[in-house]
Amino acid sequence: MTTVEFRTPGALADAEKWTAHNYHPLPVVVAEAEGAWVTDVDGRRYLDFLAGYSALNFGHRHPGLIAAAHAQLDRVTLTSRAFVHDQFAAFCHGLAELCGKELVLPMNTGAEAVETAIKVARKWGYRVKGVADERAEIIVAADNFHGRTTTIVSFSTDPDARADFGPYTPGFVVVPYGDLAAVRAAINPNTVAVLMEPIQGEAGVLVPPAGFLAGVRELCTENNVLMIADEIQSGLGRTGKTFAIEHEDVVPDMYVLGKALGGGIVPVSAVAADRAVLGVLRPGEHGSTFGGNPLACAVGTEVVRLLETGEFQERSARLGARMHAGLEALIGKGVVAVRGRGLWAGVDIDPLLMTGRQACERLAERGVLAKDTHGSTIRLAPPLVVTEEDLDHALAQLAEVLRG
Ligand SMILES: Cc1ncc(COP(=O)(O)O)c(C=O)c1O
């Protein structure tokens, strides 16, 4: 008899030994992936229902994106912004048009794009709105997640994200998410922006009350305040539209984008706004060595092309309706509540049954990867290329897990 030696335990132990413990991953060691599926080092296959927190909206190794990356790898990969390269304008132009904005500023990670939006809003406040020096205020929502820099965690309300990382950056006012009266009350002449996620992802896929985003838009317009939509997780097809904020027919002054913009291949983020806003930056005031590099732009241009077809938004809306119907059917059978739009759901598991972490561990044992957040909530966000069959299979596995 031959004994099979599994590689997973050793790979997990090595990762544990050699890295900072800033994550608590599921015990799965991925070796390969394609579409909505990943394969671990022992050959087990899993449906990826996290999709890199929406960085993999187009699936793992989408052929068009891989081809664009390969072609660019054979030409030029990095120049820095000290020079212009031939992929830059096409990406910025394409993304600006997708957003309906005049200008784009590319960065790398989501947090960098959020930092960019904050800097631009502050400078706009001083130079355009006329706010007194050092007085600019930005209104944000409780339970937000905008990234991990010291400035961004300064306005986080999550103790894990914030504690021990002070001193904190001033200039942010936190109001309850979805509370329009609180936003109205927080606005004063020093307010330069309202920065919010149109759907709060990390908080558990929280959809604000109907009319909230439209109300914020109105308040911003009335008070000469910039509305900044952090669509890093909610955008680029995830909710059945290009941007989640479109569900309320709202156009923000600034979009903050990331994750799926890099096609699951490279980190690409950006802010998009009109010249009256983004035009405030001058050479030397902001930048990034890697932001807008040729490889990022080549992949990003292909991402924009994929989104221009509308195919992924349509899939997300159609399959999302199927996913939400399937999840609603589990209410009372281990599920307490379901939220979300398109192929994006926050599912509250009955805390008497199990924690979100336990649910994700049991799902992983059944070949479905998902991620818990805050106690008994799990998040489902499959790649938008997921098939109906795969979707039904994953929902059946969840039903089994809840059955115990
Ligand atoms: C809404 C939102 N903003 C910003 C970020 C930060 O992006 P990154 O991890 O690429 O810095 C995230 C990441 O989860 C996010 O969900």
Side-chain angles (χ1 to χ4, degrees), residues 53 109-112 114 145-147 197 202 230 232-233 259:
Y53 300 94
T109 64
E112 284 175 296
V114 172
F145 188 86
H146 297 285
E197 300 154 84
E202 297 298 303
D230 179 345
I232 287 169
Q233 195 165 160
K259 294 198 193 280

Side-chain angles (χ1 to χ4, degrees), residues 23 52-53 108-114 144-149 152 196-202 230-234 256 258-259 267-269 344 379:
Y23 279 89
Y53 300 94
N108 309 283
T109 64
E112 284 175 296
V114 172
N144 68 72
F145 188 86
H146 297 285
R148 302 289 195 176
T149 65
I152 293 171
M196 281 183 193
E197 300 154 84
I199 293 178
Q200 287 191 322
E202 297 298 303
D230 179 345
E231 294 262 10
I232 287 169
Q233 195 165 160
S234 59
V256 189
K259 294 198 193 280
V268 185
S269 67
W344 200 20
R379 281 172 293 177

